[in-house]
Amino acid sequence: MNNFLADGGDGFTAFAKGTSRLGGDLDIDAFRAFLRAPPSPPTPPNASSA
């Protein structure tokens, strides 16, 4: 969960009452890793379900 929601943003006030909050990677770090990852080939659709 991002900090905005954990702090009660968008009306999720119950989240702000939580204890034992854990820190983690920032969204931007995950996005940066996604952009730097080698592209994966597209997966063909399952011919039996078409």
Side-chain angles (χ1 to χ4, degrees):
M1 165 180 318
N2 63 30
N3 286 342
F4 174 74
L5 290 178
D7 289 336
D10 278 346
F12 291 96
T13 56
F15 291 152
K17 297 175 185 174
T19 60
S20 301
R21 288 178 60 172
L22 301 174
D25 291 340
L26 298 176
D27 292 345
I28 192 67
D29 295 331
F31 184 57
R32 183 180 298 122
F34 170 77
L35 292 176
R36 290 182 175 166
S40 58
T43 305
N46 187 348
S48 63
S49 66

